[in-house]
């Protein structure tokens, strides 16, 4: 006899829901919702380096996605991401000759960027709108007793809209988009579009709040990026690159501020100029790359800048290799090099209050 039957027997026929039986999907959704609410109570004191979200779910375990905030299960489980999202994105098109040392080209671009002027908009709330595709790796247990591990993956397109005020109060709206290659019937994913949108509000730890005025010189910007988060100042490339990603995703930059970021990257990274490229929004720009080695993982990070004003248009990350202790792409039916995220920067500027859209 299970607990539900025992409880109803105790009511001796007075239970108004005696004829109702929740479906397995309803039970699983309620369970995952409860776990999600517990996770929302947690705060992160220092930002983690961006990792491919690895999710565990199923009869024995369940976890939240890092960044996307979505519970997912393998297959077409009603609480998960549909199989239609298994299509992999195409890399952006690059034209030009062989890659060359990018230190001088990026430094020259910084001179162009510096003349761009102030970030658009009015107010003191930072607004950043991006769009892109994120890879989610899935793991699950097939049963309660000695379960077999199963693996899967999804590439989910999103629109992200974020706000941050001077005190570190933030809001992030996340909206999934249709799969890259729909396949099947629209109903295979339309429910996910209806239920997958989220709005998350938070107050950042003071170590994660950017200064009201960012420096415009190289040394000053390097110090700000290296001091991002709790802990000692860290001028290594993984720390600086992670901070630069967070800065671009949470703060509009003036031409002088962005030029300082570009000069920092030219200084601390072994930058390669790859040529002219066309991003996922069909915009043309100059593509630069550098390799980041951190905690058993080697990744290639690529930034595409507008040649006319130096503004960042696009960023992607590709895992080149990884220590098996951190996971193996082959377990999920994937292989290296593995494109894990693409981000197109749509618009950033200043607004007067959180939630206001330009």
């Amino acid at each position: 006899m299970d607990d539900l039957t025992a409880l109803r027997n105790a009511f001796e026929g007075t239970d108004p829901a005696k004829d109702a039986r929740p479906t397995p999907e309803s039970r699983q959704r309620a369970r995952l919702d409860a776990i999600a609410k517990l996770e929302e109570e947690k705060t992160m004191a220092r930002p983690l380096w961006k990792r491919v979200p690895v999710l565990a779910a199923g009869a024995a375990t369940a976890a939240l996605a890092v960044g996307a905030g979505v519970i997912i299960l393998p297959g077409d489980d009603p609480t998960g991401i549909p199989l239609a999202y298994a299509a992999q994105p195409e890399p952006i098109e690059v034209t030009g000759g062989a890659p060359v040392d990018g230190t001088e080209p990026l430094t020259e671009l910084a001179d162009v960027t510096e003349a761009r002027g102030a970030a658009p908009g009015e107010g003191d709330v930072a607004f950043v709108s991006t769009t892109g595709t994120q890879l989610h790796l899935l793991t699950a247990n097939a049963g309660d007793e000695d379960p077999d591990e199963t693996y899967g993956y999804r590439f989910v397109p999103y629109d992200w809209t974020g706000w941050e005020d001077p005190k570190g109060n933030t809001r992030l709206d996340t909206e999934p988009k249709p799969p890259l290659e729909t396949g099947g019937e629209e109903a295979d994913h339309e429910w996910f579009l209806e239920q997958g949108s989220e709005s998350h509000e938070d107050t950042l730890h003071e170590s994660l709040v950017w200064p009201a005025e960012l420096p415009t010189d190289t040394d000053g910007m390097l110090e700000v990026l290296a001091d991002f988060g709790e802990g000692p100042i860290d001028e290594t490339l993984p720390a600086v690159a992670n901070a630069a990603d967070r800065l671009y995703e949470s703060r509009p930059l003036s031409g002088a501020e962005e030029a300082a970021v570009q000069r920092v990257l030219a200084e601390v990274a072994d930058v390669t100029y790859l040529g002219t490229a066309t991003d996922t929004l069909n915009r043309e720009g100059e593509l630069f790359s550098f390799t980041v080695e951190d905690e058993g993982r080697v990744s290639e990070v690529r930034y595409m800048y507008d040649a006319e004003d130096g503004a960042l248009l696009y960023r992607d990350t590709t895992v080149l290799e990884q220590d098996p202790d951190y996971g193996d792409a082959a377990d999920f039916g994937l292989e290296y090099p593995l494109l894990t995220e693409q981000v197109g920067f749509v618009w950033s500027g200043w607004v007067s209050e959180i939630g206001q859209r330009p």
Side-chain angles (χ1 to χ4, degrees):
M1 178 183 298
D2 60 25
D3 293 343
L4 182 61
T5 302
L7 180 60
R8 285 176 171 158
N9 287 343
F11 275 108
E12 296 182 349
T14 63
D15 181 6
K18 65 179 180 179
D19 295 323
R21 292 293 186 273
T23 64
E25 291 83 3
S26 296
R27 289 174 176 170
Q28 179 72 340
R29 188 185 299 279
R31 177 175 177 271
L32 296 180
D33 285 345
I35 293 173
K37 292 182 183 301
L38 290 175
E39 290 290 337
E40 288 177 359
E41 299 297 324
K42 299 179 181 180
T43 56
M44 183 171 61
R46 179 175 175 84
L48 301 175
W49 308 140
K50 289 210 87 171
R51 294 290 187 188
V52 182
V54 179
L55 294 89
T61 57
L64 277 174
V66 177
V70 183
I71 297 287
I72 57 181
L73 298 174
D76 281 328
D77 188 281
T79 62
I81 297 178
L83 187 60
Y85 287 91
Q88 299 187 37
E90 294 291 333
I92 65 173
E93 181 182 357
V94 182
T95 59
V100 298
D101 187 315
T103 304
E104 184 174 346
L106 184 55
T107 303
E108 292 176 350
L109 179 63
D111 294 336
V112 175
T113 307
E114 190 170 18
R116 189 176 71 226
E122 296 182 357
D124 58 2
V125 174
F127 174 92
V128 179
S129 174
T130 58
T131 185
T133 302
Q134 186 176 37
L135 167 64
H136 298 274
L137 300 179
L138 294 71
T139 65
N141 291 328
D144 290 324
E145 296 181 3
D146 298 324
D148 294 326
E149 199 82 30
T150 58
Y151 299 87
Y153 62 88
R154 301 288 188 271
F155 288 92
V156 185
Y158 291 101
D159 285 335
W160 298 284
T161 306
W163 294 264
E164 181 177 333
D165 73 10
K167 296 182 180 180
N169 298 309
T170 67
R171 171 177 153 184
L172 177 64
D173 291 353
T174 302
E175 298 180 8
K177 299 193 296 184
L180 301 174
E181 296 178 8
T182 302
E185 299 295 329
E186 185 176 356
D188 291 341
H189 66 270
E190 62 181 6
W191 63 264
F192 177 66
L193 299 179
E194 294 174 358
Q195 301 179 17
S197 297
E198 293 191 351
S199 184
H200 180 71
E201 296 183 358
D202 198 3
T203 300
L204 300 175
H205 186 276
E206 60 182 6
S207 66
L208 305 179
V209 179
W210 300 105
E213 294 186 12
L214 291 170
T216 57
D217 64 290
T218 306
D219 291 341
M221 182 60 74
L222 175 59
E223 182 177 350
V224 166
L225 295 175
D227 195 34
F228 183 65
E230 291 187 296
I233 291 178
D234 187 349
E235 295 187 357
T236 64
L237 178 57
V240 171
N242 177 74
D245 285 349
R246 302 290 77 72
L247 179 60
Y248 274 123
E249 291 175 354
S250 60
R251 181 76 172 262
L253 301 177
S254 69
E257 292 166 345
E258 185 158 15
V261 174
Q262 292 167 341
R263 290 175 179 132
V264 166
L265 294 176
E267 182 176 296
V268 303
D270 185 9
V271 180
T272 298
Y273 173 61
L274 301 176
T276 300
T278 303
D279 74 357
T280 53
L281 297 178
N282 203 33
R283 301 173 300 184
E284 191 173 85
E286 304 304 307
L287 190 64
F288 297 85
S289 74
F290 53 89
T291 301
V292 178
E293 299 186 29
D294 176 56
E295 297 182 4
R297 171 174 290 183
V298 180
S299 300
E300 180 187 27
V301 178
R302 304 194 302 178
Y303 283 180
M304 192 185 87
Y305 291 101
D306 190 322
E308 298 297 323
D309 63 7
L312 180 64
L313 299 176
Y314 169 89
R315 186 195 74 231
D316 64 30
T317 302
T318 299
V319 177
L320 303 178
E321 58 182 270
Q322 181 169 263
D323 189 316
D325 290 342
Y326 291 92
D328 191 341
D331 290 341
F332 299 88
L334 299 167
E335 60 183 18
Y336 304 113
L338 177 59
L339 181 64
T340 60
E341 66 169 353
Q342 295 177 307
V343 180
F345 291 81
V346 179
W347 194 87
S348 64
W350 297 100
V351 295
S352 59
E353 59 184 16
I354 289 180
Q356 181 182 16
R357 296 174 182 263

